[in-house]
Amino acid sequence: MRTQQIVLAAIEQDLKAAGLPPLGWYDVLWELTQATEGKLRPYEIEERTLLAQHNLSRLLDRMEKAGLVHREIFSEDGRGRWVVITEAGSAMRIRMWAVYASALQCHVGDKLDDAQAGQLAELLALLSRKS
């Protein structure tokens, strides 16, 4: 847990130094990019990320205000909403990835040789499997 906190804090600092939003924004933009038609329901974003519902709602408000996403009415249920990535959101995800990828390399990749990286990936895959 301590290692996770150290690495994430370093990555967040690199994003901040580059004048970019926090890592949680990247996670949402990535999931929307991967989704069919670039849109998901909020509960789908919650399921695919580590963001709690109450945090996600506020995060989506900030991302919408920044023009990175917008909400659309879910036609089958007027109470529901889609969260849709905008062109600006797609561009921001690409900008963030450049810094994020470099930060991952610096804070993780440069500290492991290829064998260690492979071993770590295998171990994390084992731990992340559902019983």
Side-chain angles (χ1 to χ4, degrees):
M1 297 297 259
R2 184 173 292 129
T3 300
Q4 175 197 19
Q5 289 176 342
I6 290 167
V7 170
L8 288 178
I11 291 169
E12 289 283 10
Q13 183 57 42
D14 290 349
L15 289 168
K16 186 176 181 178
L20 295 169
L23 191 54
W25 291 39
Y26 180 86
D27 291 343
V28 171
L29 294 172
W30 173 253
E31 293 302 336
L32 291 170
T33 298
Q34 299 304 301
T36 303
E37 299 181 32
K39 63 184 182 180
L40 293 168
R41 302 281 302 269
Y43 78 88
E44 293 172 314
I45 296 171
E46 183 182 350
E47 289 173 353
R48 295 173 188 211
T49 64
L50 298 176
L51 300 167
Q53 190 277 329
H54 64 281
N55 291 333
L56 178 61
S57 181
R58 282 181 263 158
L59 179 99
L60 291 174
D61 289 344
R62 290 190 301 274
M63 292 178 74
E64 188 169 32
K65 188 174 181 177
L68 304 179
V69 301
H70 70 271
R71 293 179 174 120
E72 292 178 356
I73 294 173
F74 185 60
S75 59
E76 289 82 30
D77 175 3
R79 296 170 296 161
R81 298 283 185 266
W82 288 108
V83 178
V84 184
I85 192 168
T86 64
E87 285 185 36
S90 293
M92 177 60 75
R93 189 203 63 77
I94 291 168
R95 285 182 51 219
M96 290 181 78
W97 175 244
V99 174
Y100 186 18
S102 177
L104 283 171
Q105 183 62 43
C106 175
H107 303 297
V108 179
D110 289 349
K111 296 177 180 181
L112 304 173
D113 62 31
D114 289 345
Q116 291 169 324
Q119 185 179 25
L120 178 60
E122 288 175 17
L123 293 170
L124 290 172
L126 282 172
L127 291 173
S128 64
R129 286 189 195 140
K130 294 183 180 180
S131 300

